[in-house]
Amino acid sequence: MNRRFLVLLMLFALSALAFAPIQAQGNTLNVAWPYQVPPTGHFNTFASGGIALGQYQDLHEPPLAVLMWATGDYAGMVAEEFGWDDDGNYVIKMVEGNSWSDGSAMTADDLMATFNIFRLRGDTVWANMSGIEKVDDSTVKFVMDSPSSLAERIILTTNLRPASVFGDIADRAAMMDAGGDGWDALLQELTEFRPESPVSGGPYTILPDTISEANLMMELNPGGFAGDIQHYDMVRMWNGETEVVTPLVANQELHYITHGIPPTTEEDFANRGIDIVRSGMNNGPGLYVNHAVYPLNLVEVRQAIAYAVDRIQNGVVSLGESGVAVEYMTGMSDGLSEAWLSDETLDSLNTYEHDLMKAEELLTSVGFSRNDDGIWVDDNGDTLSFELTFPQEFADWSAAAENATAQLNDFGFDISARGVQFQQHPQDIYASNFEMAIRNWGLGDPIPGRSYLQAYNRYNGQGDLAGEGGGAGMNFDNNVDYSGGMVNVFDLSNQSSQGVDKSAQAELVTQLAISYNELLPAIPLWERYTNNALNRNFIMVPDSGDSIFANFGGGADNWMTTLILTGVTAPADM
Amino acid sequence: MALPNSDLEINRSGVQSPVAAVQQFIAAYPIHKNYYVRIFVQAILTIWAVLTVTFFLVRQMPGNPIDVLIEQILTQEGISYQEAYDRVAASFNFDPDATMLDQYVDYVGDLLRLDLGTSITSPGTRIIDEIARFLPWTIFAVGSGFLISFVLGIILGMMMAYYRDSALDHTLSLVSSFFTGVPNYIWGLLIIIGPGISWNWFDVGAARGTYDPGLTPGLNAAFIGSAIEHALLPIITYVLATLGSWMLSMKSSTTGVLNDDYVNVAEARGLKDRRIITAYVGRNAMLPLFAQLSISIGFVLGSGVVIEEIFVYWGFGHYLFQAITVRDYTSVQGAVLILSSTFVFSNLFADLTYGLLDPRVRISGEK
C-alpha cells in the first residue's frame, strides 16, 4: 500500500511539473540580478542586505543622470538641469511632476534626505562637500570645498531615495555633528532600519509578495520617473549568479544577463541565436610584481616580461573574444587612452608588442645571461625563479596566469604558478606576501586618473584599510623618475580628477600615462569586455553598432537601464 | 531517603559550605552514574566543543565580512577601494579589530541566554528568524527524499536478497551500484539539463523556489500543492542519490539473516512466506540499517547544500553556504549549532531507542 501510494504521488507530482504551463512571457521584461530573500534581504537600500538589484536599482530608485560614455556627456534623468555655479558649487534642478509609489511627490527633500544619509554613512562624496542646501522644492545646491569631476560624477550617478521613508533619520543626521553624541547610535538605527515595503520613484516597483528565491516581479509605476514611457507592464528579476541563470537563458525564459559567462557557454548561446554584446570594461587582469623582490624591481626586467608575453594569445586563451589585449600599456584602458591622450602622445607610447629579441636585449643589458639549461640568471648568479599566484576560483584569471607562466618559462624564466583561494589572494597582496601575482588593473570608471588607484593605492600600501596584513602591498615607490621628471604618481592620479578643466586634467593624465608606460609598475595583460547575453527574439534594443553599448556599466550608466529609462527598450514583437 | 555516611563538612559556625552541599547531594543522588544523564551531558559537551572550534575556525578563514563585501562591490560596480570600504564599513555591525576572546565571551554569553544574535551582513536581522525561514524547507525536501529512499531501498533490497542470483537480483544490483556511484549534484544537473532544457518536460524557472509567489503559507491546498511541486525535483534527486546504498545494505543484511537457523526453522514449520519475510527476516535485517538511518539523519541538514543551489530551492544548505561565502560569522555559528545538535541528538536517539527495537540489546543491558 505504502509503495503504491508513493509511486502514485511521485507520478502525480511529476506530471504536474511536466505539464506546468510555461510562465506567460506577455509584456514582461526578463532580466537577472542576485539578491537575498527576506528576512536577510530587505528594503533598506542604504544598508547591507538591501534588495537594491545592482544596475536595476535605477528602475526603482532612479539616478539623477547617466553618463553617455561615447560622448563623455551626462544625460539628465531625475536631474533636469545640473552644473557648477559661479561660486564653484554644484546645483541640481529636478524634473517636476514625478511621484513615489507611496503617493508622495518627488522633490528636493528626497535629494536632501539621500545626501544627508550619505553623510551619516561617511560616503566619499562628502570629502569634497561642506553642505547641502535646498534652494526650492525642486532645486538643491551642493556646497563644495572645491569643484571636481569626481564629485560631479558621484552626485549625478546617485540613486534617489524617498524622504517619506528615510527623511526622519536623514533630518536627525543633518542636525548632528559628524561623529558627535548619538552619531553612532543613529548610524546603527539606519543599518537596522527595515522599511515595511519598497517605495519606488522609478518606472517600476518591487512587489513584495512576489519575492522568492527564484525571482521577483516589478510592476509598472506610472507616476514614477519615466513611468509613462514604458513598453513593459512588468519586469521579472531572476535571482542568481552565472551558474544559476545560465539554464534560464538557454531555456529562453531569461532574455538579458550581465553576468560574465565562460567562452563555452557563449558559444552555446550563440548557437541558440542569442546575441553576445561586448563593451570594454576599462579593467582586466595584470601581472603584478613585488618590487621588494630583486630583480623584479628593475624596470628592464618588467619591460622584458611585457615583451615576452603575447598578450593577444593570453587574452584569447583566457576569455575568448572578450579578452582583448591591451595595446597602449598606459595603466588605463585603450578607450580611455584614446579619449584623453593626444595623437602625438599615443604615437610616442611603447606598445610592447610581442618580441622575444627585445626581451632578450633588455635582460642582457642589465648583465643577465642564460645558464646551461637556457634559464635566465641575474647579475648575482641567481636564476629568475619566481612564484606567480592567482585566485584559483576565477577561471579567466587562472587561465591568464597559466598561459603567462608557460610563455615566460618558454622564454627562459623559471616560474611556478600557484592558485590561492580567491578571498585570501588579495590579502596576500596587501600583506606583500607574493613575488608575482595576477590582479586587476584599471577601474570601470570614466575618470582616467582613477584607473591608477589599483596599482598606486589599493595594491600598494592598503593593508591597513583592508583590515588584515597591514603590509606595503607591491612595494612600489610612488615617487617616480621618468622622462618627464620626478612626480608622485598617486598624487597625480588624485589631482587629475580634481577641478573641472578638462585640458588641465588631460595634462596630468598624460604624465600618468607616459610614466606608467615607461615604468610598468604592473603589466596589464588584456582588457575584459562584457559578454552580455541578449536574446533579441524577445527584447528590442538598438543594433550592436549603436554608441549606447559603450555604457557597459556594472553599476551606474548601464546601457540596458539607460534604454529602459529613456523608453527605448521594448518587446521584440511590438 | 537516609543520607549516606559521607564526610560532612560543617564549618565552625555550624553552616554547611556550598561545596560540601553539592558533594552531599551528589553522594545522595549519584545522577552522574546514571546512563541517560551521562550521555546527555556528553552530548551537550560535544555540541559546545563543536561550537567553540567552529567559532575560531571561521575566523581563521581568509578575509572577513567587510573584505568580502568590498571585493563584491569592487567587482560589480567598478568604484574605488576607498569608496567601497567607506560604504561597507559603515553599514556593518562588525568590528574586525575586536579580539577573538572578547567576541567568544560575548557569543557564549548570548548563547546561554538562548540568543543566537543578529546577522553581520544584514544588521538587525535575527539569526533565529533566518533559520526559521530556511530550515523547514530542507527538513521537508531532504526528509521526504530520505524517507522515500529508505522505504524503497528496504523493499527492493529484500527482494534482491530473496531472489538472489536471479535476473531481478542482477538487474537491481547493477542499478543500485550505478545509483550509489553517481553523486547527488550530478543527478541534479542531469535533471536540469536533460528533462529541463533539452527535452522541455518542465519549466526550469517555474520549478525554482520553495512555493509559488503570492500564496499564503499555511494549511491550504494551494500552498501545500505548490510546496510539494517545488520540492519534487530535489526529492527525486535525493532519492536517486541514496536509494542504491539502502538497497545494497538491505540486500547484504537480509542475505545474512536468511541463512540463520531460525529462518530455516520457520520455513520447516510451514509458516507463510509473508509472515517469514515480515516477522522473521525483515525485522531482523532492518536492525543494522536502523542505526545507519539514525546516523544519516544527522547528515540530512548538511547534505542539501549543492542540491539547493542547483534547483534554487533555498533551504538550510543554501543558508549555510551563503553565510560561509560572505563570512557572516554569527550566521555560520547559528547554522553549525543546528547542524551539530541534530547530529548529536540523532545519535543519542539511536542509542536510546535501539534497545526498544532489539530485545537482545535490552536484555544484555539489563544483565
Side-chain angles (χ1 to χ4, degrees):
Chain A
M1 183 64 186
N2 275 345
R3 185 171 45 173
R4 226 179 260 168
F5 172 74
L6 287 169
V7 170
L8 278 175
L9 182 67
M10 287 182 72
L11 284 175
F12 165 75
L14 189 59
S15 59
L17 262 183
F19 298 107
I22 296 284
Q23 291 184 21
Q25 300 295 341
N27 208 6
T28 301
L29 176 66
N30 283 275
V31 291
W33 193 264
Y35 60 85
Q36 288 297 316
V37 295
T40 312
H42 52 81
F43 306 121
N44 178 358
T45 54
F46 282 116
S48 170
I51 302 176
L53 306 176
Q55 70 259 20
Y56 299 105
Q57 185 176 5
D58 289 359
L59 303 188
H60 59 106
E61 293 179 337
L64 299 177
V66 168
L67 180 74
M68 306 310 285
W69 282 54
T71 61
D73 298 325
Y74 286 98
M77 295 289 155
V78 169
E80 187 175 44
E81 296 170 21
F82 47 89
W84 302 99
D85 68 10
D86 295 338
D87 299 326
N89 298 318
Y90 205 75
V91 180
I92 286 181
K93 178 172 171 42
M94 297 165 61
V95 176
E96 295 180 54
N98 292 318
S99 59
W100 296 89
S101 57
D102 63 357
S104 57
M106 190 180 287
T107 68
D109 291 337
D110 302 311
L111 202 48
M112 296 287 290
T114 303
F115 278 83
N116 278 321
I117 295 281
F118 282 169
R119 177 170 168 265
L120 177 62
R121 290 201 318 182
D123 277 30
T124 312
V125 67
W126 275 89
N128 290 82
M129 285 169 51
S130 54
I132 176 170
E133 295 172 4
K134 179 179 169 182
V135 178
D136 58 40
D137 273 352
S138 61
T139 310
V140 168
K141 180 163 78 177
F142 296 84
V143 183
M144 309 298 292
D145 296 330
S146 58
S148 92
S149 301
L150 176 59
E152 179 183 44
R153 173 156 178 78
I154 296 176
I155 290 170
L156 289 179
T157 54
T158 289
N159 292 93
L160 194 66
R161 270 73 158 207
S164 59
V165 176
F166 297 102
D168 175 47
I169 294 176
D171 290 346
R172 282 188 280 152
M175 303 288 286
M176 286 184 184
D177 291 330
D181 285 347
W183 187 259
D184 289 343
L186 189 60
L187 180 59
Q188 184 173 351
E189 186 181 334
L190 170 69
T191 58
E192 296 182 358
F193 176 51
R194 297 288 182 270
E196 284 184 13
S197 57
V199 175
S200 166
Y204 296 96
T205 309
I206 296 172
L207 296 173
D209 289 345
T210 67
I211 299 175
S212 74
E213 49 267 63
N215 56 48
L216 61 80
M217 300 299 292
M218 302 172 80
E219 73 172 354
L220 188 64
N221 178 31
F225 173 75
D228 56 343
I229 55 172
Q230 295 304 306
H231 300 289
Y232 289 99
D233 297 328
M234 307 284 281
V235 173
R236 180 180 288 113
M237 188 67 58
W238 290 95
N239 187 17
E241 299 288 354
T242 304
E243 66 281 3
V244 174
V245 299
T246 296
L248 299 172
V249 178
N251 220 21
Q252 308 219 348
E253 292 181 72
L254 171 57
H255 307 141
Y256 172 65
I257 58 170
T258 51
H259 303 54
I261 50 176
T264 47
T265 305
E266 214 180 285
E267 194 179 329
D268 179 67
F269 285 173
N271 291 337
R272 293 170 190 269
I274 296 167
D275 198 8
I276 303 295
V277 179
R278 300 184 204 281
S279 314
M281 297 178 73
N282 282 359
N283 62 73
L287 202 49
Y288 281 72
V289 300
N290 187 338
H291 292 253
V293 175
Y294 186 82
L296 296 173
N297 58 321
L298 299 182
V299 65
E300 290 84 357
V301 174
R302 300 195 297 275
Q303 289 178 334
I305 291 173
Y307 277 119
V309 176
D310 181 349
R311 301 192 296 278
I312 295 174
Q313 180 195 108
N314 192 272
V316 172
V317 164
S318 305
L319 202 58
E321 289 182 52
S322 285
V324 179
V326 176
E327 182 181 354
Y328 295 117
M329 304 290 272
T330 59
M332 300 182 285
S333 68
D334 289 340
L336 284 176
S337 295
E338 287 170 356
W340 284 83
L341 303 178
S342 66
D343 290 345
E344 188 185 350
T345 304
L346 287 175
D347 290 341
S348 71
L349 294 171
N350 186 344
T351 55
Y352 297 95
E353 280 182 43
H354 184 51
D355 189 335
L356 296 180
M357 287 301 293
K358 281 193 177 169
E360 184 119 10
E361 282 169 20
L362 279 163
L363 293 184
T364 310
S365 71
V366 287
F368 292 11
S369 58
R370 292 180 187 269
N371 65 16
D372 295 341
D373 298 326
I375 306 293
W376 284 100
V377 177
D378 67 20
D379 50 343
N380 294 325
D382 298 321
T383 55
L384 297 191
S385 302
F386 307 105
E387 182 183 69
L388 190 159
T389 62
F390 58 90
Q392 62 193 14
E393 290 84 352
F394 297 177
D396 49 348
W397 288 17
S398 301
E402 283 163 11
N403 178 265
T405 299
Q407 290 197 48
L408 288 171
N409 287 346
D410 285 347
F411 173 61
F413 278 69
D414 177 24
I415 294 174
S416 53
R418 179 171 66 88
V420 177
Q421 198 269 349
F422 77 101
Q423 284 153 333
Q424 178 63 42
H425 194 244
Q427 307 300 329
D428 286 349
I429 309 303
Y430 301 144
S432 305
N433 183 23
F434 76 108
E435 292 179 331
M436 299 174 78
I438 297 287
R439 294 304 302 173
N440 52 323
W441 61 268
L443 199 66
D445 190 297
I447 298 174
R450 285 157 60 80
S451 291
Y452 296 93
L453 291 175
Q454 310 286 11
Y456 297 150
N457 182 236
R458 180 183 178 193
Y459 296 129
N460 202 27
Q462 283 298 289
D464 53 338
L465 263 185
E468 285 184 20
M474 59 193 272
N475 287 295
F476 180 71
D477 185 353
N478 283 337
N479 294 299
V480 304
D481 188 4
Y482 80 113
S483 61
M486 286 281 292
V487 290
N488 182 296
V489 283
F490 179 53
D491 291 344
L492 266 187
S493 66
N494 282 330
Q495 289 161 11
S496 68
S497 59
Q498 298 303 310
V500 290
D501 180 354
K502 281 206 168 182
S503 60
Q505 289 174 340
E507 268 185 43
L508 300 177
V509 171
T510 302
Q511 292 181 49
L512 280 167
I514 295 174
S515 58
Y516 194 99
N517 184 260
E518 289 179 9
L519 302 174
L520 292 181
I523 300 150
L525 292 171
W526 42 270
E527 181 179 356
R528 185 189 182 98
Y529 275 54
T530 60
N531 52 2
N532 297 175
L534 170 68
N535 195 328
R536 289 181 184 270
N537 294 322
F538 294 89
I539 299 178
M540 185 170 65
V541 291
D543 291 337
S544 298
D546 195 281
S547 61
I548 188 65
F549 294 107
N551 285 42
F552 83 88
D557 309 329
N558 174 266
W559 64 262
M560 176 59 89
T561 51
T562 302
L563 292 177
I564 294 172
L565 291 176
T566 49
V568 175
T569 303
D573 55 7
M574 259 187 67
Chain B
M1 178 186 283
L3 291 176
N5 292 325
S6 55
D7 297 330
L8 299 180
E9 285 183 26
I10 309 291
N11 64 17
R12 288 177 185 168
S13 62
V15 179
Q16 191 178 8
S17 74
V19 174
V22 171
Q23 287 176 338
Q24 187 178 351
F25 181 81
I26 291 173
Y29 306 101
I31 52 174
H32 60 290
K33 291 182 179 172
N34 181 291
Y35 171 71
Y36 296 104
V37 170
R38 213 169 55 235
I39 60 172
F40 183 76
V41 171
Q42 277 175 358
I44 297 295
L45 286 175
T46 304
I47 292 170
W48 170 77
V50 170
L51 291 182
T52 300
V53 170
T54 303
F55 179 91
F56 290 103
L57 268 185
V58 294
R59 284 163 177 75
Q60 295 306 312
M61 292 166 72
N64 60 45
I66 290 180
D67 294 334
V68 170
L69 194 56
I70 286 175
E71 293 295 326
Q72 275 181 11
I73 291 176
L74 286 173
T75 305
Q76 291 173 351
E77 299 187 22
I79 59 177
S80 75
Y81 188 89
Q82 181 70 54
E83 285 169 78
Y85 181 87
D86 288 346
R87 192 193 303 176
V88 172
S91 67
F92 269 31
N93 184 19
F94 170 69
D95 178 7
D97 299 326
T99 68
M100 268 205 250
L101 189 61
D102 288 345
Q103 293 178 51
Y104 181 69
V105 170
D106 288 345
Y107 169 58
V108 172
D110 289 344
L111 214 52
L112 290 174
R113 291 192 297 273
L114 302 180
D115 180 3
L116 296 184
T118 57
S119 163
I120 291 176
T121 55
S122 180
T125 304
R126 296 190 313 158
I127 303 293
I128 194 72
D129 291 338
E130 293 186 322
I131 290 174
R133 161 69 177 77
F134 293 109
L135 184 60
W137 299 109
T138 297
I139 292 176
F140 174 53
V142 185
S144 302
F146 225 68
L147 193 64
I148 294 169
S149 167
F150 183 72
V151 173
L152 278 177
I154 295 296
I155 294 168
L156 294 172
M158 280 180 66
M159 287 172 63
M160 289 159 68
Y162 248 82
Y163 302 104
R164 59 188 178 280
D165 292 333
S166 68
L168 177 76
D169 175 30
H170 293 154
T171 306
L172 289 179
S173 292
L174 190 68
V175 169
S176 56
S177 299
F178 175 69
F179 279 13
T180 306
V182 180
N184 59 11
Y185 56 89
I186 296 292
W187 282 118
L189 291 173
L190 286 175
I191 288 172
I192 291 285
I193 294 168
I197 295 175
S198 298
W199 307 324
N200 276 319
W201 284 6
F202 63 86
D203 182 348
V204 175
R208 291 183 171 182
T210 45
Y211 61 94
D212 290 327
L215 295 175
T216 306
L219 289 175
N220 59 80
F223 171 74
I224 293 170
S226 176
I228 291 174
E229 189 177 327
H230 282 264
L232 193 68
L233 294 179
I235 288 174
I236 290 173
T237 307
Y238 294 129
V239 170
L240 291 173
T242 55
L243 179 61
S245 64
W246 291 125
M247 287 167 67
L248 293 174
S249 298
M250 190 61 186
K251 179 193 172 184
S252 168
S253 181
T254 307
T255 305
V257 172
L258 282 174
N259 295 326
D260 283 346
D261 291 341
Y262 62 85
V263 176
N264 294 330
V265 170
E267 285 172 347
R269 285 171 60 200
L271 294 180
K272 289 181 178 175
D273 274 357
R274 184 169 179 166
R275 179 160 169 69
I276 294 173
I277 291 169
T278 52
Y280 284 71
V281 178
R283 191 172 170 186
N284 287 297
M286 269 183 63
L287 284 173
L289 271 74
F290 176 76
Q292 195 180 331
L293 175 69
S294 302
I295 293 169
S296 300
I297 287 172
F299 288 106
V300 162
L301 298 184
S303 63
V305 176
V306 181
I307 297 305
E308 288 176 3
E309 291 301 314
I310 289 174
F311 291 111
V312 195
Y313 184 88
W314 284 4
F316 191 74
H318 165 81
Y319 175 63
L320 178 59
F321 177 74
Q322 179 66 19
I324 292 172
T325 303
V326 299
R327 303 290 188 266
D328 193 328
Y329 300 146
T330 50
S331 296
V332 173
Q333 288 157 195
V336 170
L337 173 66
I338 301 295
L339 272 178
S340 55
S341 301
T342 309
F343 189 79
V344 168
F345 283 110
S346 63
N347 276 283
L348 193 63
F349 177 76
D351 281 349
L352 295 176
T353 54
Y354 199 75
L356 297 176
L357 293 173
D358 189 349
R360 292 170 297 187
V361 173
R362 194 166 59 235
I363 292 166
S364 155
E366 285 168 2
K367 283 178 183 173

